[in-house]
């Protein structure tokens, strides 16, 4: 018995015959009927492929990479889907439904990009339709910025007898103008002749003018390109790094180079000169940077060297992004610079991918498909046989281990350009600072003294505090009650702007309570330190110097980020403070002091990467100083100054930190020595959530039991470190093993036939970075 069809059409049937069989019967010939069949996936349906017949009138237009309109389900509801394959197939005796229409004139995705999306779907255990929706920006799908306009022309037979026509004066003027300059739009023609629409309409009615519609793009105004700059002279270390990249480019083969360069060592100049070589070959380069580092300074530097550069980031409008996408796809720009999603740029002549600050967690997407841009870039570079360059002063330990295992080639830039020294880093033990312990301020006496001297000498100061708000929690000293978010069960943060208590996860807010909501005690205490409170303290202690705060609360208006950095660059602002957005991508020679107000904010989180991230953040922010001839200094305040991560950062010894951290990871069975898949289950009722999570655990254990011992380890379920968010209780499980393909296969099989449960939702995160 044949299996039932698994899609909107019908399953193909086949029979097998030997050389001794008689001629096929009529029913067998019908059974072998063939047709051109399109394979369609839908973004909002389960991960299945649907087959549709391609009618002859659409045969030239239905291609892999276009969207089509097809009838779906028993009601034949017209639905838009993505065509991912077209080929001649045996369709059996039963007829497939036909494709009704084609949405796109040209494929939105090349065959190479379609292969990339299929790999992503398989690797990240995500429906292919959902991957396609992510890869293609909304502005491209919606054809944003494209309008239709009427184009007028004079038919050839009319042109032949133009002089013999007897027309009113205005109509004759219109016809003469159009014949001379055709084709013209309706508005341009009327303006050229200086007439209303009436004579043009009369000529169209007489058949003397014909009209056609065409689609045109409204191009956004481009800022004038800065003056072109010449290449900078490189030191021997930079030249060695460039030679390693050029060797791959000239051999036209793939290889991954891990460029480990201290802050200020000139990594960007290496990228730029490698890209210049790519352009000489007539090819294109993609440069990925964290969104936080995509500053005007970065964009201007690339534009000054290459002129027309496409920039892709989250602040573009749909029409701007669509216009950039089209320019890239037509090969009109040779350099694409952008954040995470720029890895999908439709470059037809890709020659190089560069990923700066490759350790940054923002390269990992936190919604489905939960891809990491580094892994996608690696797959794409391998598939298109081009080099991949990963750069960082503090590479992720995953990339570091790949270099140790010789899968990547590590090139070091151990010195700053012009032989400038790395800044001196000192630690301040907050346990020995009575003013901080008794909360007389966040700035210790040594840091305050250093700030006074720096500012008096004409230097600038950067202060890092990776916490928003004014007070991080509100607690009653009488009854101990903590004001919490009812949906997330987390302490609310006090914000002075608007005088509200706000949840940073679901945006729940209430007016700041003047007394304890539980016992009405009037002395409720606002405790903890955020950037708003630090700003108030700086303004109080250094009122004669302009201070600016940069965090997601203060940088919400379009252009605010650029404006703030311009004021700091011009010296109008002397003290810049904020969260991690000020720790990267800034190059200001007048910054001679960096203060890390609290190095412990992420150090003690329940995350096996907490130490790594702490070391990376301190090293990165320390790199903002000492970039000019005046040198620089860094002071790090901590309650744990002897922690290996802080010690290594203070000594500019990231290699030493990696040597100490990697054996601990290996002993505990954590990445980079294992691959991990995290499953998070959430729902309104904790009993249902826990029961469903246990059901997944049992299925995982059943699949793991079929494997050799030690091939897979299942941890959990347990409440997440943030056990309740946005009203949902949360439990998580982890599947870990040395072989990523095995781990993903187990999770895929264990979750394939899970029963539907309306009261819970669950997600799968392959190679997770967020463990909270």
């Amino acid at each position: 018995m044949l299996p039932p069809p698994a899609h909107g059409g019908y399953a193909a049937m086949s029979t097998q015959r030997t050389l001794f069989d008689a001629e096929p019967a009529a029913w067998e010939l019908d059974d072998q009927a063939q047709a051109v069949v399109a394979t369609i996936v839908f973004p909002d349906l389960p991960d299945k492929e649907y087959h549709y017949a391609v009618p002859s009138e659409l045969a030239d237009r239905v291609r892999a990479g276009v969207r089509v309109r097809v009838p779906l389900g028993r009601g034949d509801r017209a639905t838009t889907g993505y065509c991912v394959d077209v080929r001649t197939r045996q369709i059996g005796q039963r007829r497939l439904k036909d494709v009704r229409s084609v949405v796109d004139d040209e494929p939105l995705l090349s065959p190479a990009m379609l292969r990339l999306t299929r790999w992503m779907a398989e690797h990240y255990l995500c429906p292919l339709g959902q991957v396609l929706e992510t890869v293609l920006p909304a502005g491209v799908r919606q054809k944003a910025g494209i309008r239709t306009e009427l184009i007028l022309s004079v038919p050839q037979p009319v042109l032949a007898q133009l002089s013999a026509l007897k027309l009113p004066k205005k109509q004759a003027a219109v016809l003469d103008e159009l014949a001379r300059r055709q084709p013209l739009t309706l508005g341009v023609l009327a303006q050229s002749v200086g007439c209303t629409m009436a004579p043009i309409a009369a000529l169209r009615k007489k058949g003397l003018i014909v009209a056609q519609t065409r689609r045109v793009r409204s191009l956004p105004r481009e800022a004038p390109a800065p003056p072109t700059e010449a290449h900078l002279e490189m030191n021997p270390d930079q030249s060695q790094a460039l030679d390693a990249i050029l060797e791959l480019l000239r051999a036209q083969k793939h290889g991954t180079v891990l460029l480990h360069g201290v802050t200020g060592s000139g990594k960007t100049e290496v990228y730029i000169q490698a890209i210049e070589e790519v352009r000489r070959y007539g090819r294109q380069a993609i440069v990925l940077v964290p969104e936080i580092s995509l500053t005007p300074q970065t964009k201007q530097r690339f534009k000054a060297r290459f002129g027309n550069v496409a920039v892709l980031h989250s602040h573009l409008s749909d029409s701007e992004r669509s216009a950039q996408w089209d320019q890239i796809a037509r090969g009109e720009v040779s350099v694409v610079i952008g954040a995470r999603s720029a890895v999908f740029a439709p470059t037809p002549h890709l020659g190089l991918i560069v990923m700066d600050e490759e350790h940054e967690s923002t390269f990992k997407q936190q919604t489905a498909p939960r891809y990491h841009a580094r892994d996608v870039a690696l797959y794409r570079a391998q598939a298109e046989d081009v080099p991949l360059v990963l750069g960082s002063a503090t590479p992720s330990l995953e990339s570091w281990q790949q270099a140790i295992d010789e899968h990547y080639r590590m090139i070091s830039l151990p010195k700053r350009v012009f032989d400038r020294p790395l800044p001196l880093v000192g630690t301040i033990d907050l346990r020995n600072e009575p003013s901080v312990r008794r909360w007389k301020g966040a700035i210790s006496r040594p840091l305050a003294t250093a700030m006074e001297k720096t500012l008096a000498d004409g230097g600038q100061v950067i202060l890092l505090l990776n916490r928003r708000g004014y007070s991080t929690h509100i607690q009653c000293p009488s009854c101990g009650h903590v004001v919490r978010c009812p949906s997330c069960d987390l302490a609310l943060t006090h914000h002075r702007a608007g005088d509200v208590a706000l949840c940073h996860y679901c945006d729940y807010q209430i007016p700041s309570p003047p007394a304890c909501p539980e016992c009405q005690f009037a002395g409720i205490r606002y405790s903890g330190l955020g950037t708003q409170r630090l700003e108030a303290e700086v303004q109080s202690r250094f009122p004669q110097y302009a201070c600016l705060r940069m965090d997601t609360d203060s940088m919400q208006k379009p252009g605010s980020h650029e404006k703030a950095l311009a004021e700091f660059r011009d010296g109008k602002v002397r003290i810049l403070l904020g969260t991690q957005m000020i720790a990267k991508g800034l190059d200001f020679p007048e910054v001679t002091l960096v203060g890390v107000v609290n190095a412990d904010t992420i150090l003690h989180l329940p995350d096996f990467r907490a130490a790594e991230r702490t070391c990376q953040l301190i090293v990165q922010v320390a790199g903002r100083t000492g970039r000019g001839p005046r040198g620089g200094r860094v002071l790090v305040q901590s309650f744990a100054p002897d922690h290996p991560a802080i010690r290594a950062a203070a000594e500019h010894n990231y290699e030493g930190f990696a040597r100490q951290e990697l054996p601990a990871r290996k002993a505990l069975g954590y990445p980079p020595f294992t691959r991990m898949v995290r499953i998070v289950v959430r729902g309104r009722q904790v009993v249902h959530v826990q029961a469903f999570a246990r059901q997944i655990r049992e299925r995982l254990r059943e699949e793991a039991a079929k494997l050799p011992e030690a091939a897979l380890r299942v941890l959990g379920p347990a409440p997440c470190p943030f056990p309740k968010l946005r009203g949902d209780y949360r439990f998580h499980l982890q599947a870990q093993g040395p072989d990523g393909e095995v781990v993903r296969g187990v999770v895929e099989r264990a979750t394939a036939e899970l029963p539907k449960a309306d009261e819970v939702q669950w997600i799968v995160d392959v190679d997770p970075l967020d463990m909270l």
Side-chain angles (χ1 to χ4, degrees), residues 695-711:
Q695 187 178 359
I696 294 176
R697 177 191 62 193
E698 296 310 312
R699 286 173 173 263
L700 288 171
R701 286 179 174 175
E702 288 173 12
E703 291 295 332
K706 303 173 187 177
L707 302 174
E709 191 175 353

Side-chain angles (χ1 to χ4, degrees), residues 685-763:
Q685 301 294 325
V686 66
V687 175
H688 295 153
V689 174
Q690 189 172 24
F692 195 84
R694 286 173 175 167
Q695 187 178 359
I696 294 176
R697 177 191 62 193
E698 296 310 312
R699 286 173 173 263
L700 288 171
R701 286 179 174 175
E702 288 173 12
E703 291 295 332
K706 303 173 187 177
L707 302 174
E709 191 175 353
L712 188 80
R713 179 172 64 159
V714 178
L715 301 178
C720 295
F722 291 164
K724 187 182 180 185
L725 283 179
R726 302 176 187 90
D728 286 335
Y729 293 94
R730 306 166 72 240
F731 280 73
H732 63 163
L733 306 95
Q734 293 174 18
Q736 297 170 217
D739 188 324
E741 191 172 338
V742 170
V743 177
R744 291 191 301 273
V746 165
V747 173
E748 184 175 24
R749 292 189 297 273
T751 57
E753 302 297 333
L754 276 174
K756 290 185 178 180
D758 294 335
E759 62 273 7
V760 298
Q761 295 83 43
W762 54 279
I763 62 100

Side-chain angles (χ1 to χ4, degrees), residues 90-110:
Q90 290 185 354
I91 61 172
Q93 301 178 57
R94 304 175 73 179
R95 189 173 59 84
L96 296 173
K97 297 178 182 180
D98 285 348
V99 174
R100 286 181 177 172
S101 62
V102 180
V103 177
D104 307 299
D105 295 330
E106 296 293 332
L108 298 179
L109 293 167
S110 67

Side-chain angles (χ1 to χ4, degrees), residues 130-152:
Q130 203 168 19
V131 174
L132 290 166
E133 288 280 285
T134 298
V135 168
L136 287 168
V140 175
R141 299 196 307 268
Q142 297 161 6
K143 301 179 181 178
I146 297 177
R147 70 179 191 278
T148 52
E149 64 180 11
L150 205 62
I151 302 297
L152 304 176

Side-chain angles (χ1 to χ4, degrees), residues 146-154 178 181-190 197 200-205 209-217:
I146 297 177
R147 70 179 191 278
T148 52
E149 64 180 11
L150 205 62
I151 302 297
L152 304 176
S153 60
V154 181
L178 183 58
R181 298 177 56 196
Q182 67 175 326
L184 293 175
T185 64
L186 189 64
V188 170
L189 179 58
M197 298 298 170
I200 300 174
L203 290 169
R204 289 183 63 189
K205 192 172 183 180
I209 288 178
V210 294
Q212 290 180 317
T213 58
R214 73 177 181 187
R215 291 189 296 181
V216 295
R217 177 175 295 284

Side-chain angles (χ1 to χ4, degrees), residues 638-690:
S638 172
F639 286 100
D642 294 326
H643 191 282
I646 295 176
R647 262 204 333 267
E651 297 167 0
H652 301 288
N653 187 13
Y654 189 74
E655 184 176 352
F657 169 76
R659 279 200 306 268
Q660 186 168 0
E661 180 74 5
L662 283 169
R665 294 268 188 96
K666 189 172 186 178
L668 295 170
Y670 279 121
F673 300 99
T674 60
R675 304 302 292 268
M676 180 188 296
V677 176
R678 183 180 186 230
I679 301 172
V680 180
V681 184
R682 60 185 175 87
R684 298 289 168 172
Q685 301 294 325
V686 66
V687 175
H688 295 153
V689 174
Q690 189 172 24

Side-chain angles (χ1 to χ4, degrees), residues 3 38 102 127 140 146 148 166 239 252 383 422 453 463 516 567 645 706 711 770:
V102 180
V140 175
I146 297 177
T148 52
K166 303 295 183 184
S239 297
Q252 297 184 7
L422 287 165
K453 185 177 186 308
L463 297 177
C516 176
E567 290 179 353
K706 303 173 187 177
D770 179 10

Side-chain angles (χ1 to χ4, degrees), residues 339-514:
R340 180 178 62 227
S341 61
V343 73
F344 305 124
T347 48
H349 311 297
L350 184 62
L352 175 69
I353 302 177
V354 173
M355 188 172 185
D356 193 29
E357 309 292 2
E358 68 86 30
H359 65 279
E360 269 295 316
S361 60
T362 52
F363 282 123
K364 169 79 170 174
Q365 176 150 302
Q366 297 304 324
T367 57
R370 293 171 172 80
Y371 70 91
H372 197 300
R374 182 186 59 231
D375 298 330
V376 175
L378 178 60
Y379 176 89
R380 187 172 181 186
Q382 289 173 336
E384 302 196 35
D385 213 17
V386 302
L388 170 65
V389 179
L390 306 175
S392 177
T394 54
S396 65
L397 292 186
E398 284 82 1
S399 293
W400 193 277
Q401 187 62 40
Q402 288 282 69
I404 291 174
D405 295 338
E406 299 185 349
H407 299 304
Y408 299 168
R409 179 181 176 185
M410 186 187 290
I411 304 291
S412 293
L413 299 179
K415 296 183 293 186
R416 284 188 157 183
V417 293
F418 307 119
D419 285 325
R420 288 186 179 130
L422 287 165
L424 295 173
V425 181
T427 57
I428 299 171
D429 191 343
L430 294 181
R431 296 170 298 185
N432 300 327
E433 287 294 321
S435 61
V436 174
R437 288 210 318 268
R438 292 197 296 269
W439 188 244
K440 292 186 178 179
I443 300 173
S444 64
R445 186 177 300 172
L447 179 55
T449 302
M451 289 177 66
E452 289 168 0
K453 185 177 186 308
T454 298
L455 294 167
D457 291 343
Q460 291 177 299
V461 177
I462 288 179
L463 297 177
L464 171 73
L465 177 63
N466 207 25
R467 278 186 180 167
R468 295 159 50 202
Y470 190 85
S471 301
T472 55
H473 60 279
I474 306 168
Q475 186 173 20
C476 175
S478 177
C479 69
H481 173 73
V482 176
V483 180
R484 294 181 176 274
C485 172
S487 298
C488 300
D489 198 28
L490 296 172
L492 297 181
T493 300
H494 174 228
H495 284 248
R496 260 194 170 178
D499 196 23
V500 296
L502 175 69
C503 175
H504 287 167
Y505 289 87
C506 72
D507 293 330
Y508 169 84
Q509 68 177 45
I510 58 172
S512 299

